[in-house]
Amino acid sequence: MTKEQIILLVILIVGITIFVLIKEHINEKKARTGEDLAKVRAVLSRLLPDSTSYTTAYAFYKWSKYQGRSKKTWYYHYAIAFRPGELFVAPIQYAGGEVSAQSRGVLLTPENVGRVEYDGAGPVIFGKDGQEICHFRVLAMYTNQDRYEPFNIAQGEESKAFDDFLKDFTQRVGG
């Protein structure tokens, strides 16, 4: 490599890094406005009549499977609402700037949950029949990465509250 090529490569790397950092900063700023979280809460208010008595949040899970040289990735987005002993989970989707429910959701209680496990990426909740019901994480910050991860959501308090809720819920379930 010539000296000029090295300089161009360094400039390109610095330019890309600056672009990514600026994009992430802009997305974090958008997350703090609460616009996307408000859309998630609006979905919950339509599905769960007394949603104001719950703590509400956005949850996400990404799972990849490798087959030879190819990789397939699944993305799961949820609107969740929780209070002691109850967790309401509804799959959601984001299209055209709007959030909508993909189902009516499900109310999970110690009576209909068989066990709760942790896989390092978050809780995995199983029914009494041993089948996985849902698997997700509730993080303090989500920023738009691409069309598959479109949300800008800041939910620090909700994330902490969910961690506390999950400890109690897991004890109530007994697993």
Side-chain angles (χ1 to χ4, degrees), residues 93-133:
Q93 65 182 5
Y94 188 92
E98 296 303 315
V99 178
S100 60
Q102 292 181 304
S103 78
R104 294 175 53 193
V106 63
L107 183 64
L108 303 173
T109 65
E111 290 74 36
N112 64 7
V113 170
R115 70 184 190 280
V116 179
E117 295 180 359
Y118 297 88
D119 74 347
V124 185
I125 301 173
F126 295 88
K128 294 283 186 186
D129 60 359
Q131 295 293 318
E132 182 178 318
I133 297 172

Side-chain angles (χ1 to χ4, degrees), residues 6-18:
I6 293 172
I7 291 171
L8 285 174
L9 182 62
V10 168
I11 290 171
L12 179 66
I13 291 171
V14 169
I16 291 171
T17 302
I18 290 171

Side-chain angles (χ1 to χ4, degrees), residues 47-106:
L47 296 173
L48 190 62
D50 61 342
S51 66
T52 56
S53 67
Y54 289 80
T55 301
T56 58
Y58 164 74
F60 175 73
Y61 182 66
K62 178 168 72 171
W63 182 69
S64 297
K65 182 178 181 182
Y66 295 89
Q67 294 176 321
R69 289 191 224 168
S70 65
K71 173 183 168 185
K72 185 168 182 169
T73 304
W74 291 266
Y75 299 86
Y76 302 93
H77 305 273
Y78 300 98
I80 66 167
F82 54 93
R83 64 183 177 194
E86 296 181 358
L87 171 63
F88 181 78
V89 180
I92 58 172
Q93 65 182 5
Y94 188 92
E98 296 303 315
V99 178
S100 60
Q102 292 181 304
S103 78
R104 294 175 53 193
V106 63

Side-chain angles (χ1 to χ4, degrees), residues 26-42:
I26 290 168
N27 286 339
E28 286 179 12
K29 198 171 182 178
K30 286 180 183 177
R32 285 179 180 45
T33 68
E35 183 180 332
D36 284 349
L37 188 55
K39 291 176 182 179
V40 170
R41 287 183 174 141

